[in-house]
Structure formats: C-alpha cells, structure tokens
Amino acid sequence: MRYLLKCASFVDSEYESNGRLRTADILVEGDTIRRIADHIEDAPAGETINAERYLVTPGLVNAHGHLAMTLLRGLADGVPLQSWLEDYMFPRERLLTGDDVYVGTQLCLAEGILSGTTTFADMYFFEDDVARAIEEAGVKANLSTGTASLGDEAGKLQRAEDFVVRCNNTAGGRIKASFGPHAPYTTTPEFIGAMFARAQQLGVVVQFHLHETRGEVAAYAEKYGCSPIACYAERGYFDAPPRLVAAHCVHMTQRDIEILERAGASIALNVQSNLKLGSGVADYRSLLASGINLAVGTDGAASNDNVDMLEEVRVLGFMMKGSTMEPAEVSNNRLLSMATLGGARALGFDDTGVIREGAKADLVFWDTDDVSFCPHNDVVSHLLWSANSRAVDAVMVDGQFVLRHHELLTIDIDRVRFEAVQRAHRLAAL
Amino acid sequence: MRYLLKCASFVDSEYESNGRLRTADILVEGDTIRRIADHIEDAPAGETINAERYLVTPGLVNAHGHLAMTLLRGLADGVPLQSWLEDYMFPRERLLTGDDVYVGTQLCLAEGILSGTTTFADMYFFEDDVARAIEEAGVKANLSTGTASLGDEAGKLQRAEDFVVRCNNTAGGRIKASFGPHAPYTTTPEFIGAMFARAQQLGVVVQFHLHETRGEVAAYAEKYGCSPIACYAERGYFDAPPRLVAAHCVHMTQRDIEILERAGASIALNVQSNLKLGSGVADYRSLLASGINLAVGTDGAASNDNVDMLEEVRVLGFMMKGSTMEPAEVSNNRLLSMATLGGARALGFDDTGVIREGAKADLVFWDTDDVSFCPHNDVVSHLLWSANSRAVDAVMVDGQFVLRHHELLTIDIDRVRFEAVQRAHRLAAL
C-alpha cells in the first residue's frame, strides 16, 4: 500500500535546535517512509491524505509493561509493592490461563493503540498467546517470559531460550523476543548471569526490574554486601553484556548509574507506578545528565492503572521539573524523544522511533482541531502538556493503519471487552 | 425540564465505609435532584434516560484558575514562576482586551466541560466579560478580579467591591463573585486586611495565592520577620475572617497550617502547576491530617497546561502517595471528594458537590463502555486512575445538559477555536 501524506507537520531531527516544526509531504510505501519533501506528486496508486490538521509523531513506545495485567486493574489501590505483588497479584496470576492472557493483552493493545502506542514491551506468562495477540493487532512488541529462579533454574532457562528462538523476529519482524529475569529479589545472581550470557550469544535483549524499592536494595546489601547492580558488576556480568532494559531504577547511587552507563543499558522509567505504589522518586537530574538511554514505560495497568504513554511521559516531565525544582531540567523535545526513539532503541527496533526517509512508518496522527491543541501557540508543547488520547485520530504501524478516525481496525473491541469482563470477574472473586 | 435517570450507578455518602457503588433511579426536576430510589415510575412529562452504562458523579469543581489564560498556553515551558510571570505573562496580559478574555474564557469552559467540570474559579481581568461567558455556557463559577496593591489601593478596592456587588449571585445563582488580592508578593498586608474585611461584611469569598514558592516566603520573612500567613495572623486578619480559598500553599510550616485551619480556610491545591514551574511539593501528609477543607484546581492553562480536573486529581493522588512513599496515604473516595465536594464548599456552592435529594443537579456521565473502564473491577478506581476525558459522555448543570453524547450544547466551539487562534497569534507575537 502507498500513502501520500500532504502537508504533514512533524518533529524532525533539527527541532531541538531551531524550535520549528517541519511541514512537508511524506510518502509511505509498504512498511517504510520512502520520501519526505516539500512537494511530492500524487501517487498513481494508493491513497492521498490531507494531513494539514494533524501533528504527526513517531509512534509511542511503551518500554516496560505487563500487558495482560489490564485484567487485574483496580484490585488494590492502596498497598505497597511487596504486598501488592504477594497478596493481590501472585495469587491471581497463578489462576491465569493462556486464553486469559490473550484477552487481557488484546484489551491492553486496544487501549495502547487508542492512545498512540505502536510498540510495546511485555514481561509476563503464556508469551505465545501474547505473540498471537500482537501479530493479529498489527503492532510491534518485544516479549519476554517473566522468570523467577526459585527452583528448576536449568529448566526455566531452557524454556525461556526456547521461546526466544521460536519467537524472535516473527510477524514480519514486528515481534522480538527477549529474556525476562524478573528482579533481583526473585532471582539469584547466577541466574541473572546465565540469562545475560545466553542473551548475549543469541543477540537479544534482557528486560528486568532493577532497584525499584529501597527495601529491595537494602535486602541485597544485607545478603551480598552491595546493591544488585554492584553485585552483578563485581561478578563480571556487565563485562560483555547483552542489550539491557532495566525497568524502574528508582534507588541508585551514582556508582550504580555509572555501571549501567558503561554497560550501555537502557532504563525504562515508570514514574506513575513508582508514585502510586509509594516506591519513591528517582534521581532524575543524575539520570538526565548520564549517557544512559532513557525510555518510558507504563508498567502493568494493575499498578498504573492504564497504558496511556502520553499521560506517562507528562507525569515524568512533571516529576523531572518538580523534584529538581528546576523547570528547565528537561526539554519538550527530550521528553518526546524518550517516549519514542528512546523506547525504540531500548527494545531493539532500530529502524523506528523517528520520522526520516528509510525508517519504518510507525506514525501517530494527532488531531490538532481538538480543543486541547487550541490556540496552536506551540503544538508540540500542547501535545506534551495539554492533549490526551481523545486527540489520537489514527495510528499506523509498518505502513498499515491499525486505528483510523478513532476506530480500531485490527481488534474486535466489543468482543474483547465482553470477554475481559467475564475473565476479570472470575479472577477478582478469588 | 424533568429527567429520570434509570439504573444510574453513583458514589453515595456511604461509599467510603462500604466500598459499594449505589445503583438506583434518580429524578431531576428543574435544577434539583428531587428523588433517589430503587425504582421511580417513568415521569409523565420529561425524558427517561437509560443510565446503565454510565458512572454518574457530581460535577468536578475546579477551585483555582485563570480561565482566559488558555490563550497563553505553550508560550513558556521551561521557566520558573517569577520569570514566567514577569517575562512572559504580565507583558501579554497588559495587551489583553475584554473580548480576548471573553474568547479565552469560552475556550477554557469548552475544555472544562468536555472533561467533566461544572464549576470554575476565576481570578483574572475583565470579569464582566468572564461572567458573560459563564452565563452563556450554562456553568457555575466564582469570579474575582486579580488585584495587586501597587498604587491606587482605595480605587482598586472600590472597583473590586463594585464588581462583587454587581455580579454576586447572578445568572440564577450560577455566578458568585469574590475578592481576589493576587498574592503576598504583589500586595501589602494592609490591602489583604482591607479585602478580608470587606469580604466578611459582604459575605463573599476571598481567593488568593499563598505560599506558592520558597522565595516568596523567604522574601516576606526578610521584610516582615515572618511568613505571610503568620503576618496576617499577627495583624488579626484571621480573627473574624471571610470564607477563604488559599491557592497553592506549597511551602507552609505546621504553624501556618494550624492558622489556616483555625481560620476555616479552604486550600485549592494545584499540584501540576507547582511541579511544572518547579515551585515544589507540598507537605501532603500534614495537609491531609489537618482539618482544612482541601480542594483541587488546575491553575491557568498557561502553566498547567490544561484544565482537565481528572488529570489534576490523579497527579495529586500520585504525589500524595509518592511523596510520602505511603500508597494508603489517601483513599480513592477522598480524592474524588476533594475534586467535587471540597471545591463546592470552598467556592460557596453549598448545594452541590454531592449526589443527594435536594442538591442541585450538577452531574457528569462517564461512559463505562470506554476501554479505560474495562474490566469493571472497581469503576471508581478506574475513573480515578485509568479513564480520561474521552469517557465524558454528558455533563449537566442545574438540571440542564451542557454536553451530551460528547457534543457541546452551549458553546459554538468552531467559532471559539477560530477566534482564539487569531487572538493568541496576536499576543504570542509580542
């Protein structure tokens, strides 16, 4: 399919320095942004779209989450992480079936697409069912099986590896697979080291929770004499590391940050989850000043409680400015970049996250006729600080629309809502 | 007009203790909730509405703002309060005309209605033009002229009083008028004292900015030897105070809090504005533990950058839990109550903010078929933590719909958007 977008306004790579949106024609051919120019002749085949009313951005990339947890949202609003996990989530997760995960993932993807997300991260269970939902929905994802190391470590490692080999680079490259050792407090260092090594050999990502709560870091210090990050460094796991996506990273020392930077790790920040569960506030000044690739994730909707990436990056911006008491701490363009390019880099989708010739056509069409974009003083500012998902008119992934004029094209939302309510009811009743 | 709402689910006064939504029929007659019962016979005249798919809440009350500043949003994202005011806002505000304020207010009201707000606070200029916009839009507001005391104090006081007398309790009671001495850093203590006294005599509210930045409190300490609040207390201004709405209140000592509590003041919290401008984070634990009536405001859209009250109360909830690292610090019901009843009490609309027989019919109809409310585990939780304005289907004020099926009934939004863009363009070009 060919789409010619006439007069699209979009953020290009020079926006940060010149503060001006570029307005041009964009030709999408197949899955790729083929050409960007001031004037492109109408394509002989394909569709020409008047894009004047839209702000076009790269698709948002949700760099950390547990997709099917949408089924569990609203079950436990006032409890801290450990109780939330052990008293509310784990007992229900033991009851989950593959079909539950499939439906919960579909619900999550619908919500994500409606709010402008084209690429997702997942760390959960029944990942083959998750992959099925991703493939059908037409979006992109990097999927991992969340793995704790308590018992049968060899078997778990093998099954995780089997999934990676089976699933990586499927769905025409839209699905990547990764290792997902859950967290320092649910794994041994040796298990982490083994997964790092296998991931490095296979050339895939490791996504894991890291330094999320103060208690988790303190418990490690008591047991191992250092933080999880320092412990892994001491054992050499970061010497030739795979591509790492460390989620949360709320409680880190300057030394922890330097270790992750040297390891070339990405951090997926989850500010809303950390606030709502009372986990704390990261040292944003040090993170922004480091060379670490920063990405943004919503975490699972059971803690957050949605997968709205625009809301997530807005609250992240509030916290970067507010916790440092420095309103200039982060620029609009950097925030937008973290929610797009930063996530794409973290998850290994190197040909997306930016609007340029040759990149994959993963695009969001924001309707600037929405009152939240009025009076058009600075539409990028209005996007980041005023608009919400109501303004998402269309979403394109690999050159195919998955949402158009607010209508989901790849998910039967009425069926999914009906099934999700039934399944959630069964799980909630526990 | 009569409306019979069949099978409406809503939060009643027992929700906090029993955690159950009430589902019942609600009869609205004229401007009032006449009856609530498990079954009410169809009204002979009027309209019967199947309300099964809605969560019905009291209208949201935006307890602090500068409505027409929507025209100025997006002009200055990375600057602290004093520079934001002096370098960006004040120069443009000097150019504002009454028609600018009228159009800017209409834009703000449209945005507010679309996100579920029925009652607004305003402190700005050309308040007669603001009143015209409020009256036409069919919403409620408490309006004040923002007043600095530098020069011609007697004249300013007189003009403020003239406005209060002219405007209070107009538009069938939908408009209240108040005094609006801007802030400690733009007024003398004597001016504040004089406005308190006149407001007390006239039985109207005083709304003002208070203890917003650390610098403002420090400057007062240098000049007067104490904080603004302590200074006013020492001078006896709180001995027989009027109804006070103190906005921001970020930097307060325990003694400041006790003074405001004894004065029966309400606080309008503006968490997003305080974060974005780097003003700081309030001591929420002390505020929640005090007996002060807490309300929620968005501040002007030039700092916030929208007037979405659901977003505002969600970020407030995040900060109450996150800054204290205690997820149980505030309950869902208390948050919802701050955004409704707390604001209604603050602004003097005592017959609204709650769904009960005899109260004014100010209602929001949230569409629980929106994916953000799926899977219906706890729709109040989903409202507070997952949904956004996309789910606002209808808004009723004094028994009249101002929004229905997402359509604004009292504001010609296409004309307002067109005019707002023209006027903002002139102001931005400064």
Side-chain angles (χ1 to χ4, degrees):
Chain A
M1 188 66 184
R2 281 164 70 112
Y3 291 101
L4 176 59
L5 315 178
K6 298 293 289 182
C7 282
S9 290
F10 60 95
V11 175
D12 67 5
S13 53
E14 284 161 40
Y15 176 80
E16 177 103 47
S17 52
N18 67 19
R20 280 197 302 273
L21 278 180
R22 180 159 177 207
T23 300
D25 295 354
I26 299 176
L27 179 67
V28 173
E29 272 185 345
D31 60 5
T32 300
I33 297 171
R34 186 65 59 201
R35 216 177 134 220
I36 300 175
D38 288 342
H39 181 74
I40 302 176
E41 288 295 321
D42 273 11
E47 184 184 344
T48 298
I49 295 172
N50 179 354
E52 275 177 305
R53 76 187 277 176
Y54 302 118
L55 169 64
V56 181
T57 66
L60 302 177
V61 179
N62 190 340
H64 178 69
H66 315 281
L67 305 182
M69 289 186 91
T70 43
L71 287 185
L72 304 176
R73 78 169 141 214
L75 290 181
D77 281 332
V79 293
L81 180 70
Q82 287 306 325
S83 162
W84 177 87
L85 272 174
E86 289 164 22
D87 302 331
Y88 294 88
M89 297 299 130
F90 289 164
R92 288 176 171 87
E93 288 179 336
R94 282 193 280 273
L95 301 179
L96 284 173
T97 67
D99 282 345
D100 290 335
V101 169
Y102 173 67
V103 170
T105 301
Q106 288 184 305
L107 176 61
C108 178
L109 297 181
E111 196 185 319
I113 292 169
L114 283 164
S115 46
T117 300
T118 54
T119 303
F120 301 79
D122 191 47
M123 178 200 288
Y124 215 52
F125 319 110
F126 301 103
E127 288 301 307
D128 291 290
D129 296 287
V130 176
R132 187 160 52 104
I134 298 287
E135 172 147 28
E136 292 170 359
V139 295
K140 299 184 179 178
N142 191 321
L143 308 179
S144 69
T145 302
T147 318
S149 67
L150 318 164
D152 187 24
E153 301 202 3
K156 282 173 175 165
L157 186 61
Q158 188 59 52
R159 284 192 294 279
E161 178 171 336
D162 290 347
F163 169 71
V164 165
V165 170
R166 185 166 68 243
C167 218
N168 194 36
N169 288 321
T170 55
R174 286 191 286 107
I175 297 179
K176 294 186 183 291
S178 51
F179 288 90
H182 176 261
Y185 57 89
T186 48
T187 55
T188 59
E190 294 75 17
F191 192 70
I192 293 279
M195 283 212 164
F196 277 25
R198 289 308 293 137
Q200 209 277 338
Q201 284 157 5
L202 293 166
V204 300
V205 165
V206 172
Q207 39 180 319
F208 59 146
H209 299 91
L210 200 60
H211 289 223
E212 182 172 357
T213 65
R214 216 182 256 164
E216 155 200 349
V217 177
Y220 228 78
E222 193 154 310
K223 190 161 179 187
Y224 296 99
C226 57
S227 74
I229 291 173
C231 169
Y232 303 156
E234 203 167 285
R235 289 162 182 251
Y237 301 162
F238 289 124
D239 292 348
R243 206 155 171 160
L244 299 171
V245 183
H248 300 288
C249 295
V250 181
H251 300 281
M252 296 201 295
T253 62
Q254 193 58 42
R255 178 153 176 259
D256 293 329
I257 292 174
E258 285 162 13
I259 292 170
L260 287 191
E261 184 175 356
R262 270 201 306 276
S266 294
I267 293 179
L269 299 165
N270 302 263
V271 62
Q272 295 192 53
S273 171
N274 301 148
L275 290 169
K276 185 155 181 258
L277 293 167
S279 302
V281 177
D283 174 2
Y284 291 116
R285 178 156 294 170
S286 297
L287 290 177
L288 286 165
S290 78
I292 294 174
N293 175 47
L294 299 180
V296 183
T298 60
D299 209 356
S303 53
N304 181 31
D305 285 357
N306 60 30
V307 293
D308 186 325
M309 276 291 294
L310 183 60
E311 182 186 300
E312 188 74 31
V313 75
R314 182 173 303 162
V315 173
L316 179 61
F318 281 139
M319 291 307 294
M320 285 177 165
K321 292 165 183 272
S323 68
T324 59
M325 293 181 74
E326 173 47 77
E329 192 70 28
V330 64
S331 69
N332 290 345
N333 196 43
R334 181 138 193 217
L335 282 171
L336 185 57
S337 179
M338 285 190 262
T340 52
L341 188 59
R345 276 187 190 152
L347 300 182
F349 290 96
D350 297 319
D351 49 7
T352 185
V354 66
I355 298 179
R356 60 164 171 75
E357 292 181 354
K360 291 285 199 260
D362 295 353
L363 303 172
V364 186
F365 297 71
W366 303 89
D367 182 0
T368 62
D369 279 358
D370 190 277
V371 291
S372 58
F373 278 97
C374 194
H376 293 198
N377 282 330
D378 175 343
V379 293
V380 173
S381 168
H382 297 340
L383 171 68
L384 280 167
W385 303 108
S386 173
N388 69 17
S389 65
R390 198 178 60 201
V392 176
D393 182 276
V395 175
M396 180 183 272
V397 183
D398 273 1
Q400 303 289 322
F401 281 108
V402 294
L403 183 84
R404 196 146 183 206
H405 304 315
H406 305 277
E407 196 193 340
L408 290 161
L409 302 179
T410 55
I411 295 175
D412 178 354
I413 188 60
D414 289 332
R415 182 191 59 74
V416 169
R417 281 199 301 108
F418 177 82
E419 284 203 25
V421 169
Q422 311 303 314
R423 291 171 188 277
H425 190 74
R426 191 190 88 238
L427 295 165
L430 175 74
Chain B
M1 189 64 185
R2 283 164 66 111
Y3 291 101
L4 178 57
L5 315 177
K6 297 293 289 182
C7 284
S9 290
F10 60 96
V11 174
D12 68 4
S13 52
E14 284 162 40
Y15 177 79
E16 177 104 47
S17 51
N18 67 20
R20 281 199 302 274
L21 279 181
R22 182 161 175 206
T23 300
D25 295 353
I26 300 176
L27 178 66
V28 173
E29 272 185 345
D31 60 5
T32 300
I33 297 170
R34 185 65 60 201
R35 216 176 134 220
I36 300 174
D38 288 343
H39 181 73
I40 302 176
E41 288 295 321
D42 273 10
E47 184 183 345
T48 298
I49 296 171
N50 178 355
E52 275 177 306
R53 76 186 279 176
Y54 302 118
L55 169 64
V56 182
T57 67
L60 302 176
V61 180
N62 190 341
H64 177 69
H66 315 281
L67 305 182
M69 288 186 90
T70 42
L71 288 186
L72 303 176
R73 78 168 140 215
L75 290 181
D77 281 332
V79 293
L81 180 70
Q82 287 306 326
S83 162
W84 178 85
L85 273 173
E86 290 165 22
D87 303 329
Y88 293 89
M89 297 300 130
F90 289 164
R92 288 178 171 86
E93 288 179 338
R94 282 194 280 274
L95 301 180
L96 284 173
T97 66
D99 282 346
D100 290 336
V101 168
Y102 173 68
V103 170
T105 302
Q106 288 184 305
L107 176 62
C108 177
L109 297 179
E111 194 185 317
I113 292 168
L114 283 163
S115 47
T117 301
T118 55
T119 303
F120 300 80
D122 191 46
M123 178 201 289
Y124 215 52
F125 318 111
F126 301 101
E127 288 301 306
D128 292 290
D129 296 288
V130 176
R132 186 159 55 103
I134 299 287
E135 173 147 27
E136 293 169 359
V139 295
K140 298 184 180 177
N142 191 320
L143 308 180
S144 69
T145 302
T147 317
S149 67
L150 317 165
D152 186 25
E153 302 203 1
K156 282 173 175 165
L157 186 60
Q158 189 58 51
R159 284 192 294 280
E161 180 171 336
D162 291 346
F163 169 72
V164 165
V165 170
R166 184 166 69 242
C167 218
N168 194 35
N169 288 321
T170 55
R174 286 191 286 107
I175 296 179
K176 294 184 183 294
S178 52
F179 287 90
H182 177 260
Y185 57 89
T186 47
T187 55
T188 60
E190 294 76 15
F191 192 70
I192 293 279
M195 283 212 164
F196 277 25
R198 291 306 294 138
Q200 209 277 337
Q201 285 156 5
L202 293 165
V204 299
V205 165
V206 172
Q207 39 180 319
F208 59 147
H209 300 91
L210 200 61
H211 290 222
E212 182 172 357
T213 65
R214 215 182 255 163
E216 154 200 350
V217 176
Y220 228 77
E222 194 154 308
K223 189 161 180 187
Y224 297 99
C226 57
S227 75
I229 291 173
C231 169
Y232 303 155
E234 205 167 283
R235 289 161 181 250
Y237 301 161
F238 289 124
D239 293 348
R243 205 154 171 162
L244 299 171
V245 182
H248 299 288
C249 295
V250 181
H251 300 281
M252 296 202 295
T253 63
Q254 194 57 41
R255 178 154 175 259
D256 293 329
I257 293 175
E258 285 162 14
I259 293 170
L260 287 190
E261 183 174 357
R262 271 201 306 277
S266 294
I267 293 178
L269 298 165
N270 302 263
V271 63
Q272 295 191 52
S273 170
N274 301 148
L275 290 170
K276 185 155 180 257
L277 293 166
S279 302
V281 177
D283 173 4
Y284 291 116
R285 177 156 292 170
S286 297
L287 290 177
L288 286 165
S290 79
I292 295 174
N293 175 48
L294 298 180
V296 183
T298 59
D299 209 356
S303 53
N304 182 29
D305 289 355
N306 60 30
V307 293
D308 185 324
M309 277 291 293
L310 183 61
E311 182 186 300
E312 189 74 31
V313 75
R314 181 172 303 161
V315 173
L316 179 61
F318 282 139
M319 290 307 294
M320 286 177 163
K321 293 165 182 272
S323 68
T324 59
M325 294 181 75
E326 175 44 80
E329 192 71 29
V330 63
S331 69
N332 289 345
N333 196 42
R334 181 141 192 217
L335 281 172
L336 184 57
S337 180
M338 285 189 262
T340 53
L341 188 59
R345 277 186 190 151
L347 300 182
F349 290 96
D350 297 319
D351 50 5
T352 185
V354 65
I355 297 178
R356 60 164 170 74
E357 291 180 356
K360 290 286 199 259
D362 296 352
L363 304 172
V364 186
F365 297 71
W366 303 89
D367 182 359
T368 62
D369 279 358
D370 189 277
V371 291
S372 58
F373 278 95
C374 194
H376 293 199
N377 282 330
D378 175 343
V379 291
V380 174
S381 168
H382 297 339
L383 171 67
L384 280 167
W385 302 108
S386 172
N388 70 17
S389 65
R390 197 177 61 199
V392 176
D393 183 276
V395 175
M396 178 184 273
V397 183
D398 272 2
Q400 303 289 324
F401 281 109
V402 294
L403 183 85
R404 199 149 180 204
H405 304 316
H406 306 277
E407 196 192 340
L408 290 162
L409 302 180
T410 55
I411 295 175
D412 178 354
I413 189 59
D414 288 332
R415 182 191 58 74
V416 169
R417 280 198 301 107
F418 177 81
E419 285 203 24
V421 169
Q422 311 303 316
R423 290 170 189 278
H425 190 74
R426 191 190 87 238
L427 295 164
L430 176 71

